[in-house]
Amino acid sequence: MTVLTGPKTENSKNRTQTFKIGGLQGGQHDKQEIETYLSELDGVDKVIVNLDEGMVSIDFDPQAIHTDYLRGILRSLGHEVLA
């Protein structure tokens, strides 16, 4: 499992949100695209994509970025957010 970290350092105010997503037929390509794109966003510190479970866990600063924005990014990358 690859863990990519973003530009900010982790802090105690961070929150981890896990999304169940569909549309991961691209396998490693989808995983790399999601991890790379999200980890480059300001406020995102860590992104973990679990292909077997169809889950994306994002560690982020809720003061800098909102979960609705993260959902929108996942959708814009072609993935259905199931939960």
Side-chain angles (χ1 to χ4, degrees):
M1 180 181 313
T2 304
V3 177
L4 294 180
T5 57
K8 293 182 124 188
T9 58
E10 293 185 36
N11 64 57
S12 62
K13 295 179 184 180
N14 278 4
R15 175 177 166 197
T16 300
Q17 178 73 43
T18 301
F19 298 97
K20 174 90 172 148
I21 63 171
L24 287 173
Q25 290 79 14
Q28 282 299 121
H29 171 75
D30 286 342
K31 175 181 169 56
Q32 190 172 25
E33 179 183 54
I34 292 168
E35 289 176 340
T36 300
Y37 193 88
L38 289 176
S39 67
E40 291 177 356
L41 297 174
D42 285 337
V44 173
D45 291 323
K46 185 169 37 176
V47 180
I48 300 171
V49 176
N50 184 321
L51 290 173
D52 294 332
E53 296 180 16
M55 305 290 267
V56 177
S57 294
I58 306 166
D59 187 41
F60 67 100
D61 178 356
Q63 302 257 339
I65 196 165
H66 195 273
T67 55
D68 289 339
Y69 183 74
L70 296 171
R71 277 187 197 93
I73 294 295
L74 290 168
R75 287 185 188 114
S76 75
L77 293 172
H79 305 288
E80 182 180 1
V81 178
L82 304 172

